[in-house]
Amino acid sequence: MTEQYVLDLQEVDATQVAVVGGKGAHLGALSGIDGIRVPDGFCVTTDAFRRVMAQAPSIEDRLDQLSRLDPDDREGIRTLSARIRRTIEGIAIPGDLATAITRALTRFGEQAAYAVRSSATAEDLPTASFAGQQDTYLNVMGQTAILQHISRCWASLFTERAVTYRRRNGIDHRAVHMAVVVQRMVFPHAAGVLFTADPVTGNRKTATVEAGLGLGEALVSGLVNPDVFTVRHGEVVAKAIAAKTRAVHALPGGGTKEAAIESRRQEQPALTDAQVVQLVRLGRRIEAHFGRPQDIEWCLADDDFQIVQSRPITTLFPVPDIGDQENHVYVSVGHQQMMTDPMKPLGLSVWQLTATAPMHEAGGRLFVDVTRRLASPTSRTALLDLMGRGDPLVRDALETVLDRDDFVPSLPDAGPGGAPVTGPPAPIETDPAIVTQLIERSQRSIDALRRDIRTKSGPALFDFLLEAFADHKRVLGDPLSMQAIMAGMEATWWLNDKLGEWLGEKNAADTLTLSAPGNVTSEMGLALLDVADVVRRQPEVVAFLQGLQGVEDEGFLEELPKLAGGAEVRDAVEAYLDRYGMRCVGEIDITRPRWRERPTTLVPVILDNVRNFEPGAAERRFEEGRQKARQKEQDVLSRLRALPDGDRKADETKRMIDRVRTFIGYREYPKYGIISRYFVYKQALLEEAERLVRAGVLPEKEDAFYLTFQEFHDAVRAKQVDDQLIRQRKDAFRSYHALTPPRVLTSDGEALTGAYRREDVPAGALVGLPVSAGTVEGRARVILDMAEAELEAGDILVTAYTDPSWSPLFVGIAGLVTEVGGLMTHGAVIAREYGLPAVVGVGQATRLIRDGQRIRVHGTDGYVEILP
């Protein structure tokens, strides 16, 4: 049985992670690539690790204790992991295992020096690199020392940092095993790291080489600064040569030491330009083999590069797979839709099938290719203007790409292949009947969908849904609907521009649109205040709901009638869910649980409303907003009439105020219609998934969410599913949460976030986009999950993004700060409706602002101050 304990690197390939760990599998694969040199050696397999672990039954109990510890309990993790390491290091290596290892040493040179390196089965994976989580020992000599260091590598699976990393990444300690790589030691002139893509910008066509003298440990440990070379298209385009005062060298008898570098060599580059280009060429070969950008550790000895490690760069945002070699510029859909979390495959494909523009997937997010619109002058100007109005960061990012003259092709406006130049929608009359007509038309379509889908199942359901998706797109692209939306937005822009010019007013439309009629999203927040009025009268129900916080009890509505006043509360909640139950956080992903499916989500918000408001608050809030808007209108018009040509200016302004109040509320309705349809689609699709579960095709109905719409259709038709595909999709979805989607992404992989480029902001303030006027000071509540909201009157909500489902929280806060958003996104529209000072697009706001800190939100000028 000794053969299973040791494998030569030449016998190993990338499929054997379970046997030799991530590092061993990568090194085995590297050694098989033509032209790539890897130091000779062997792997002590995970079978050997399991054999040793079995000799200490006490470890099982300690692993149980470890899995129960909180990832933030550093002291507990430190103490328990140290005990496990001591136990492992104290286990004597069984004789047959020691014999297998010493045989391998004899093959490769018993008296030679070796590097002994940990190789865990959850290391150097596409979804989590685990870089530096386990240990490596250099220049180890002699059988006794090598066996001892193999034991240390096994034990390093339980260093504090490795344990914490696994806990934070949701990886079970028992699911990870440790192999050990033992390789002939290389004594290099220089060593370092090669990134085959720029690790900062993500650009796949730029490679970065970091190099130092001696062993690479000097760079890894931060002992010295590296030389840094940037390579594009086979040539060094930039370099920074560091002063190299120290290096790490191998000692003749084993081990390593720091040594000073003689002064004449300190300023010399560790590599020549030709060597850098040669190294990058090798890196490209490795990258092509593994199919993704790599982080490669290398050594240079005797003018020969040897590769000692290669792992995927897991922090890069993926690039949409278009299948051509052309340059492309993509704009994030999630930043427009206030949903930057990853979506599951069914969610992605249904949104793609119901969207009016083609969309491409990458990293669990969707992007629109705007390259052709950027290529011709007229469509470019229109696109930049529209993006700049909504989110200046997107515009800035696009302009950054356009500044590189060679990236976006230039097409004449009417040239072949140019994007069609379309003007703004034709103007419409300021007539409230238009909005009523549009809403009735949409509601009739949704009612017909609900009626017709009831009789559909199996493959026929999917055929029906494809027709429904086409109707969905027709409703969404209704020219009259687009005219109404644009009428409201253009009137807003006109008022802000003209009143700024004539009266020096900033963002005057923010007050003029308070409590605008017909806004289904703002009505949703006020309606929950009415629900709270019903709950407030029933102390037994309030106590019951307080006990539900943090508990997933989706049957609680059935329990309510057993309580005094509970039937009335249930009816109020049910009526609310009938109108708004299709909504939820991240609602553009059809797979997200809706309020109707998870009504406990609303319980904390209802209780906040009970606590923070008096009865009748909804009607009072709406009326107060209406009065403020009316007073603002009178004030603006009287001031305008006092100006030269004032009557004309006042008359034009009055027409625009009427126009904005007629149409701005409708801005929220199309999304409500989309999500209403989505819930109908979802209920039908879940019934199909349940049939697949009953037929033994799927283990759980939610597994269908990891199939695209077409794959789901195929599974229903064929009554079979690729289980491995679903497992891969689940792993990928988990990994996508660690990625930050960029506002703009290029086909080179460059992620651009844009900049505000403003100088009118106090030092230390956080810059954003002003979307709702006013200034407010209060306690910051950093909330990432609406179900965990606990707000007091006067709190300022700080979160990543707000889609319409967050609006019930808006009635109880004093201000809003988000990381994502634009002038006309839902959070901004509702903040204006409720008169909340708001700043959106504040980069990393949820990290830079601590929960409980006092902050001042400057909603008129677009910045946030953190107060002492």
Side-chain angles (χ1 to χ4, degrees):
M1 294 289 289
T2 56
E3 296 78 19
Q4 65 185 357
Y5 295 138
V6 173
L7 288 171
D8 285 0
L9 278 178
Q10 299 288 342
E11 301 175 71
V12 171
D13 62 37
T15 65
Q16 293 172 278
V17 172
V19 179
V20 296
K23 186 175 285 146
H26 270 76
L27 286 167
L30 282 166
S31 65
I33 302 173
D34 187 40
I36 303 299
R37 287 205 55 199
V38 175
D40 290 335
F42 59 92
C43 297
V44 181
T45 68
T46 52
D47 286 343
F49 172 75
R50 277 190 285 266
R51 169 89 181 272
V52 167
M53 291 285 279
Q55 296 191 216
S58 65
I59 288 178
E60 281 296 309
D61 294 336
R62 286 174 181 163
L63 289 179
D64 282 339
Q65 295 172 44
L66 204 55
S67 64
R68 289 195 293 269
L69 288 178
D70 189 296
D72 295 322
D73 182 2
R74 297 187 62 181
E75 187 54 42
I77 290 173
R78 185 181 299 123
T79 303
L80 198 49
S81 58
R83 279 190 204 142
I84 295 171
R85 287 198 306 278
R86 281 196 300 273
T87 302
I88 294 171
E89 287 183 35
I91 298 170
I93 296 178
D96 57 338
L97 174 50
T99 300
I101 294 168
T102 52
R103 269 200 209 123
L105 287 171
T106 304
R107 278 200 309 281
F108 291 104
E110 208 169 332
Q111 302 308 312
Y114 288 87
V116 182
R117 315 172 70 194
S118 314
S119 179
T121 53
E123 180 181 340
D124 298 344
L125 304 180
T127 56
S129 77
F130 283 74
Q133 296 305 311
Q134 283 87 38
D135 291 345
T136 288
Y137 302 97
L138 299 178
N139 202 29
V140 182
M141 302 173 74
Q143 288 181 10
T144 303
I146 287 168
L147 290 172
Q148 181 186 34
H149 283 85
I150 288 170
S151 289
R152 286 184 182 171
C153 283
W154 288 330
S156 76
L157 190 63
F158 298 99
T159 61
E160 181 189 349
R161 64 182 183 274
V163 167
T164 303
Y165 192 95
R166 284 197 296 275
R167 292 283 284 123
R168 292 194 189 285
N169 282 274
I171 295 169
D172 183 358
H173 300 303
R174 286 187 181 80
V176 185
H177 302 292
M178 181 68 83
V180 180
V181 176
V182 182
Q183 283 177 287
R184 285 288 296 262
M185 187 70 191
V186 178
F187 301 100
H189 155 72
V193 181
L194 158 64
F195 298 97
T196 63
D198 187 314
V200 177
T201 68
N203 195 314
R204 289 356 185 231
K205 291 187 177 173
T206 299
T208 302
V209 174
E210 296 184 353
L213 298 175
L215 292 166
E217 296 307 292
L219 300 186
V220 173
S221 65
L223 180 64
V224 298
N225 291 324
D227 295 343
V228 181
F229 302 85
T230 304
V231 178
R232 271 180 77 84
H233 305 306
E235 64 175 302
V236 176
V237 294
K239 57 184 166 184
I241 307 304
K244 293 171 280 296
T245 56
R246 315 283 296 171
V248 174
H249 294 291
L251 292 167
T256 61
K257 69 162 187 175
E258 265 181 52
I261 296 174
E262 56 207 67
S263 57
R264 66 181 180 80
R265 293 181 61 208
Q266 288 181 6
E267 303 291 339
Q268 289 180 358
L271 297 176
T272 65
D273 284 9
Q275 287 171 327
V276 170
V277 170
Q278 180 192 351
L279 176 60
V280 169
R281 201 174 296 125
L282 294 174
R284 293 288 179 220
R285 192 174 296 178
I286 294 168
E287 178 184 67
H289 178 85
F290 289 118
R292 57 188 300 163
Q294 298 286 301
D295 163 359
I296 298 166
E297 295 173 24
W298 55 269
C299 298
L300 178 65
D302 302 323
D303 290 326
D304 189 18
F305 283 106
Q306 297 210 41
I307 306 301
V308 294
Q309 181 58 305
S310 184
R311 60 175 70 89
I313 307 175
T314 57
T315 55
L316 298 179
F317 199 87
V319 179
D321 184 10
I322 301 295
D324 64 26
Q325 299 303 309
E326 303 295 317
N327 289 346
H328 294 273
V329 182
Y330 306 100
V331 171
S332 163
V333 172
H335 285 80
Q336 314 299 314
Q337 291 293 335
M338 296 296 92
M339 163 57 176
T340 51
D341 294 344
M343 296 167 68
K344 295 189 177 88
L346 185 63
L348 290 164
S349 61
V350 170
W351 189 262
Q352 286 172 306
L353 287 165
T354 53
T356 54
M359 294 180 181
H360 308 284
E361 184 273 334
R365 279 81 167 187
L366 290 169
F367 294 85
V368 172
D369 187 345
V370 296
T371 319
R372 292 172 87 82
R373 291 185 68 184
L374 289 173
S376 66
T378 303
S379 60
R380 179 191 313 140
T381 301
L383 178 68
L384 291 175
D385 184 53
L386 186 65
M387 292 294 177
R389 290 264 190 196
D391 184 346
L393 293 177
V394 174
R395 176 175 183 141
D396 184 79
L398 290 172
E399 286 175 335
T400 301
V401 177
L402 289 168
D403 285 344
R404 296 164 194 158
D405 297 333
D406 58 341
F407 193 82
V408 176
S410 207
L411 296 171
D413 285 335
V421 178
T422 56
I428 54 174
E429 292 300 312
T430 302
D431 181 359
I434 293 172
V435 173
T436 305
Q437 174 193 343
L438 285 166
I439 291 173
E440 287 174 353
R441 189 187 299 176
S442 174
Q443 196 56 55
R444 281 197 302 273
S445 175
I446 294 166
D447 290 342
L449 171 67
R450 287 196 183 107
R451 182 187 66 242
D452 295 344
I453 205 169
R454 286 181 194 142
T455 58
K456 305 297 186 294
S457 64
L461 169 68
F462 290 83
D463 294 335
F464 171 81
L465 281 173
L466 287 173
E467 291 175 17
F469 294 166
D471 187 49
H472 179 127
K473 288 202 276 192
R474 276 194 297 276
V475 171
L476 202 56
D478 182 340
L480 186 61
S481 178
M482 295 303 296
Q483 287 172 308
I485 291 169
M486 290 308 297
M489 292 201 295
E490 286 168 352
T492 301
W493 298 335
W494 189 96
L495 287 166
N496 282 337
D497 291 347
K498 291 298 184 183
L499 295 181
E501 177 189 336
W502 294 338
L503 298 176
E505 286 263 359
K506 278 189 179 178
N507 303 326
D510 294 0
T511 307
L512 293 166
T513 53
L514 286 171
S515 298
N519 187 316
V520 70
T521 309
S522 62
E523 287 167 2
M524 178 170 69
L526 296 174
L528 207 60
L529 285 175
D530 291 335
V531 173
D533 285 352
V534 179
V535 173
R536 190 183 293 105
R537 296 195 295 266
Q538 312 298 341
E540 204 173 315
V541 174
V542 172
F544 172 73
L545 294 180
Q546 286 169 338
L548 282 177
Q549 293 203 79
V551 178
E552 285 191 20
D553 176 10
E554 304 313 338
F556 80 92
L557 290 172
E558 296 165 19
E559 300 294 312
L560 285 175
K562 300 173 186 174
L563 307 171
E568 185 188 2
V569 170
R570 182 201 56 192
D571 291 347
V573 175
E574 286 284 1
Y576 185 86
L577 291 173
D578 286 345
R579 179 134 171 83
Y580 304 111
M582 78 294 288
R583 310 220 81 150
C584 68
V585 173
E587 61 192 10
I588 69 169
D589 182 350
I590 197 173
T591 72
R592 289 286 192 106
R594 311 282 135 178
W595 290 344
R596 170 55 80 184
E597 297 168 306
R598 195 173 289 174
T600 49
T601 304
L602 295 173
V603 169
V605 192
I606 293 170
L607 289 172
D608 282 349
N609 289 347
V610 167
R611 189 173 63 251
N612 296 331
F613 292 93
E614 296 296 321
E619 189 177 344
R620 277 197 309 278
R621 285 287 297 270
F622 188 79
E623 185 56 30
E624 283 168 10
R626 212 164 60 82
Q627 291 297 338
K628 283 180 184 173
R630 184 176 292 170
Q631 288 163 11
K632 185 69 172 178
E633 176 182 330
Q634 290 169 352
D635 171 60
V636 162
L637 295 179
S638 65
R639 287 162 62 198
L640 285 171
R641 288 196 176 96
L643 298 175
D645 198 20
D647 287 344
R648 180 189 62 80
K649 290 173 179 171
D651 289 347
E652 282 185 29
T653 300
K654 173 60 176 163
R655 280 198 299 277
M656 283 299 175
I657 292 172
D658 291 346
R659 193 166 178 79
V660 81
R661 291 192 68 81
T662 298
F663 291 115
I664 201 66
Y666 179 71
R667 163 74 180 79
E668 292 293 299
Y669 192 83
K671 185 74 168 284
Y672 176 81
I674 291 170
I675 302 307
S676 297
R677 288 171 167 275
Y678 263 34
F679 194 39
V680 179
Y681 305 153
K682 182 180 185 180
Q683 288 171 305
L685 288 168
L686 277 175
E687 285 179 21
E688 285 306 311
E690 284 168 355
R691 289 189 186 96
L692 291 180
V693 171
R694 288 196 295 271
V697 177
L698 284 176
E700 298 176 359
K701 62 182 180 182
E702 286 81 8
D703 285 350
F705 295 161
Y706 295 93
L707 300 172
T708 65
F709 182 83
Q710 185 58 55
E711 289 165 348
F712 194 176
H713 190 177
D714 294 342
V716 167
R717 205 164 32 218
K719 293 286 187 291
Q720 64 181 42
V721 166
D722 183 343
D723 296 335
Q724 187 177 357
L725 175 68
I726 289 177
R727 279 196 302 275
Q728 288 170 348
R729 294 270 176 81
K730 286 181 177 180
D731 288 343
F733 179 70
R734 275 192 293 271
S735 75
Y736 293 153
H737 282 279
L739 299 173
T740 302
R743 283 177 168 80
V744 172
L745 181 69
T746 74
S747 49
D748 284 355
E750 187 171 2
L752 298 117
T753 54
Y756 286 108
R757 307 188 193 284
R758 287 172 53 190
E759 297 176 359
D760 59 339
V761 172
L766 307 180
V767 186
L769 178 66
V771 295
S772 186
T775 301
V776 67
E777 185 177 310
R779 179 180 71 155
R781 289 307 323 271
V782 180
I783 297 171
L784 299 178
D785 182 347
M786 181 179 152
E788 294 173 6
E790 281 189 39
L791 295 163
E792 299 290 345
D795 282 350
I796 296 169
L797 175 62
V798 180
T799 190
Y801 62 82
T802 59
D803 59 11
S805 71
W806 285 77
S807 64
L809 291 185
F810 284 24
V811 297
I813 59 176
L816 174 69
V817 179
T818 68
E819 295 180 343
V820 176
L823 196 60
M824 297 309 296
T825 48
H826 303 278
V829 171
I830 305 308
R832 290 194 290 274
E833 286 259 338
Y834 288 166
L836 301 175
V839 181
V840 303
V842 180
Q844 299 188 26
T846 59
R847 294 175 206 164
L848 297 173
I849 300 171
R850 291 197 312 277
D851 187 48
Q853 275 187 318
R854 289 196 70 74
I855 61 173
R856 188 180 297 127
V857 177
H858 295 262
T860 306
D861 296 309
Y863 62 90
V864 180
E865 291 179 285
I866 299 175
L867 303 175

